[in-house]
Amino acid sequence: MRSKIVLILFSLSFFLFTCESKPHRQGEILYLNFCANCHMDDGSGLAGNIPPLAQSDYVAQNQEQLACIIRYGMEGPIVVNGKTYQNPMAGIPELSEFEIANVINYINQAWGNDHGYVPLKEIRNSLEECKR
Amino acid sequence: MPLFLVILLLSGCRQPDRSLPILSKAHNENGVMVYEQIPDFSFIGQDSNLVTNATFAGKAYVADFFFTSCPTICPVMARNMLTIYERFQDSTKLLLLSHTIDPRRDSVARLAQYARNLGVRSDKWFFVTGNKDELYEIADDYFNVVIEDPTLPAGFDHSGRFVLVDPQRHIRAYCQGTDSLAVKKFIEDIETLLDEI
């Protein structure tokens, strides 16, 4: 009897656990395909050469810039968590605004980040402003 | 029957005192196997110093091929090399050697900056540039393939292998440098080799 209860509890917790995880599935896949080469699967970047996205103060403070960085890239020295980086990042023009939104919302909740949800409308506005 | 299976399983798990095979190309010379050595080379390191076979005399080293502006596999390779660097930081028996395959853009100054950014010692992990043909040719000796392909975003394709070379200039192990599980196993191979030296 006891073992049956344990079994039921176990499968129940397993069920809950699997249901709960992975809310930003497309964002994650896009991230792994387009960003993880450089910023790594865990968002940690490459020491001194490529800045992190996990726990990055730059990501936290420049939410309205993210869409433009993804589409057009960025250049020139930037400081992330007190460290200076100055390798250029090329833009990724293949991503649609929907896909950009999904990547950003994945990053914003991944690896312990908690930067809230960015609606598509705001992404559109940002992209309109930095349009080239 | 089950007992037999158990014994079989156990014996499969047991690690005999293992030594790494020599993987370099070999030919038979009057009944003796002769293994090819990594040929002589002479490149320039990030401190503008000459880096040659003599730099690695009496030591083992891990070699790879990359370029600093590589948008695809190199950052992950660099991170895995960094893991190897950190693991063997205090060992005097192992060095690291990264060759650029883009000598036109990867000047000594740029390699120095890249290495400094990584925070690694220049007498432990060498970043070298040099004559392009020599770099591409020696890549082949290290089981790496490098192809210039103008249709690719960065203009190159390369295979991203890490290769372990022993003090006799023979290749003893290699792995795919982008695969962190393979790199873990490779680190065990390095430990096995260093125990021999």
Side-chain angles (χ1 to χ4, degrees), chain B:
Chain B
M1 181 63 186
L3 187 68
F4 173 73
L5 272 179
V6 169
I7 291 172
L8 196 75
L9 266 172
L10 282 176
S11 62
C13 290
R14 194 155 32 88
Q15 290 256 348
D17 37 358
R18 184 172 81 98
S19 133
L20 299 175
I22 297 177
L23 303 176
S24 307
K25 278 180 226 150
H27 59 273
N28 192 321
E29 231 171 72
N30 307 325
V32 186
M33 286 294 259
V34 177
Y35 292 94
E36 280 178 24
Q37 292 183 307
I38 296 295
D40 288 344
F41 59 81
S42 174
F43 297 121
I44 313 265
Q46 72 263 42
D47 286 345
S48 304
N49 48 339
L50 219 54
V51 176
T52 68
N53 311 77
T55 312
F56 303 94
K59 301 189 192 259
Y61 65 99
V62 175
D64 78 341
F65 293 81
F66 87 116
F67 55 111
T68 61
S69 58
C70 158
T72 53
I73 61 176
C74 312
V76 175
M77 288 169 63
R79 181 150 100 166
N80 287 333
M81 279 291 265
L82 198 57
T83 303
I84 296 174
Y85 174 90
E86 281 160 1
R87 169 65 187 77
F88 297 100
Q89 198 162 7
D90 300 324
S91 164
T92 53
K93 296 179 189 170
L94 187 82
L95 299 174
L96 283 75
L97 171 61
S98 291
H99 309 72
T100 180
I101 55 168
D102 185 11
R104 198 169 56 81
R105 281 182 288 182
D106 284 342
S107 59
V108 169
R110 191 155 164 177
L111 291 176
Q113 184 63 51
Y114 188 81
R116 215 173 311 127
N117 289 345
L118 285 176
V120 300
R121 275 179 18 226
S122 60
D123 60 348
K124 176 81 180 171
W125 186 351
F126 297 84
F127 290 85
V128 298
T129 183
N131 176 290
K132 185 161 148 201
D133 290 339
E134 287 171 22
L135 286 163
Y136 280 45
E137 224 162 274
I138 207 159
D140 199 44
D141 295 304
Y142 286 111
F143 297 173
N144 268 275
V145 179
V146 180
I147 299 165
E148 272 184 291
D149 180 349
T151 65
L152 292 171
F156 300 97
D157 195 3
H158 67 136
S159 45
R161 273 190 182 153
F162 294 169
V163 175
L164 177 64
V165 182
D166 72 12
Q168 288 72 44
R169 299 199 205 173
H170 292 140
I171 293 177
R172 302 295 294 274
Y174 62 84
C175 74
Q176 183 54 35
T178 51
D179 178 348
S180 42
L181 275 181
V183 172
K184 232 177 170 169
K185 163 91 183 27
F186 185 66
I187 286 177
E188 289 170 17
D189 288 342
I190 298 175
E191 283 164 352
T192 305
L193 178 62
L194 296 192
D195 283 345
E196 266 178 35
I197 301 177

Side-chain angles (χ1 to χ4, degrees), chain A residues 36-38 40-42 44-50 83-84 86-87, chain B residues 68 70-76 78-79 82 113-115 117-119:
Chain A
N37 271 345
C38 291
M40 305 292 157
D41 292 359
D42 60 2
S44 61
L46 174 62
N49 285 303
I50 299 170
K83 266 188 138 179
T84 305
Q86 46 188 335
N87 289 319
Chain B
T68 61
C70 158
T72 53
I73 61 176
C74 312
V76 175
R79 181 150 100 166
L82 198 57
Q113 184 63 51
Y114 188 81
N117 289 345
L118 285 176

